[in-house]
Amino acid sequence: MTDTHTTDDFTTNVYYGDDADASYIQDKTVAVLGYGSQGHAHARNLHESGVDVVVGLREDSTSWPQAEEDGLRVTTPDVATAEADIVMFLVPDTIQPAVFEAVEDGLEAGNTVMFAHGFNVHYNQIQAPEDVDVTMAAPKGPGHIVRRDYVNGGGTPTLIAVYQDATGEAKEEALAYAQAIGGTRAGVVETTFKEEVETDLFGEQAVLCGGVTALVQHGFETLVDAGYSPEMAYFECLNELKLIVDLMYEDGIGGMWYSVSDTAEYGGLTRGHRIVDEGVRENMEEVLEEVQNGEFAREWINENQAGRPSYTQLKRQDEAHEIEAVGEPLRDLFEWEESTENDPAEVPADD
Ligand code: NAD
Ligand code: MG
């Protein structure tokens, strides 16, 4: 963790503190639209970095008084946009096209439209005028971490990308923005809107949110159906996942193998690819193709326009899974985890 790396260690451009030039943002006004997870973190970090910030919220937004309490200027999204040089869209992705339409008239030539996720730009749900820059600054973490890291004097690794460069300064400005929210203290990685969107969607569908929950549920069901207690199945298939993921997060897959027992390592090495086999790999390629050809995006946009019927039904089904009811009282036994969450050294070793 304390190793110092240079750009040469990576296959892509990575920028640190000195690579950014604050003058590209210092005299500009940034409108941060939305004050949720990302919005509050960007707005407060920018403000404390000396950037002029105006938060854009609906008049009935419950976040309005909070943003003011945090020392920020608040107005409606259209007024904020008209006033700003840079407009960062941090309202939910499904709402962004409507908000964009409502504020579009406030954009002037040379302004910048920014995003923390490229979905709407990449899939043409938002088309900015040709004379504005379109860029991205996407922290690789939820807003409360982006805020916490900044307050602690650090930063959260951040992606930047340029989709449209009308001014010729789009990248320098995006880098200066990333610096002002703390990103260059950790490392800023350059990507493209296409790469960010496609890898993000694939990752959350195939591995993170979709893949891992299905794996956990299948493991739980297999043990319970074989007559083992649901509590034991919960511990083995869900609770202990965190310990394994923490090890991989800290030291890679090799570091995880090193830390578990030889029995666990041999069993995992011989059985893992029987469970997640070539068929799973082929399914992953199919899922990736649906992301790349826009089929998933179309489906999700239509689903939203129809009022989310499948989404609601699938959510309900998932919430009714036995593993949810079993887990609730068990999680209360692990309250100690919360207080040690940010200090892995204090988490008792698995035995
Ligand atoms: P969020 O749901 O936490 O916050 C959304 C905010 O928008 C809220 O303050 C809400 O009140 C406000 N809002 C809702 N409708 C509005 C409207 N019509 N007009 C004005 N404001 C409105 O959203 P988030 O998770 O911070 O996501 C914002 C963006 O950041 C998205 O593009 C998301 O993909 C991206 N992102 C999120 C994370 C994350 O971990 N949360 C990480 C990286 C990128
Ligand atoms: Mg403007």
Side-chain angles (χ1 to χ4, degrees), residues 223-242:
L223 285 178
V224 172
D225 287 352
Y228 298 98
S229 82
E231 285 79 10
M232 287 299 288
Y234 180 89
F235 281 135
E236 287 303 326
C237 300
L238 191 153
N239 186 268
E240 290 193 22
L241 188 60
K242 176 167 166 34

Side-chain angles (χ1 to χ4, degrees), residues 24-25 28-31 81 84-89 100 106-115 128-129 131-137 161-167 169-171 173-174 177 193:
Y24 284 98
I25 196 169
K28 293 173 181 167
T29 297
V30 178
T81 300
D85 306 292
I86 299 170
V87 185
M88 176 50 117
F89 281 79
F100 182 81
L107 294 172
E108 290 159 52
N111 281 176
T112 303
V113 178
M114 290 190 79
F115 298 88
D131 56 6
V132 308
D133 291 350
V134 180
T135 67
M136 180 191 306
V162 173
Y163 184 80
Q164 191 166 293
D165 188 2
T167 63
E169 298 179 349
K171 182 173 159 185
E173 191 190 71
Y177 183 103
F193 272 64

Side-chain angles (χ1 to χ4, degrees), residues 311-324:
Y311 176 76
T312 311
Q313 196 211 327
L314 289 166
K315 234 168 112 89
R316 212 168 283 147
Q317 219 170 286
D318 212 61
E319 282 161 9
H321 194 284
E322 188 187 357
I323 199 166
E324 293 304 298

Side-chain angles (χ1 to χ4, degrees), residues 33-40 42 56-58 61-63 77 89-93 95-96 98-99 115-118 120 137-143 196 200:
L33 307 186
Y35 203 69
S37 174
Q38 290 293 318
H40 92 282
H42 289 229
L57 292 173
R58 286 168 303 179
S61 168
T62 52
S63 308
F89 281 79
L90 296 175
V91 298
D93 294 299
I95 290 169
Q96 284 177 12
V99 173
F115 298 88
H117 178 41
N120 288 303
K140 292 305 284 176
E196 184 271 336
D200 183 74

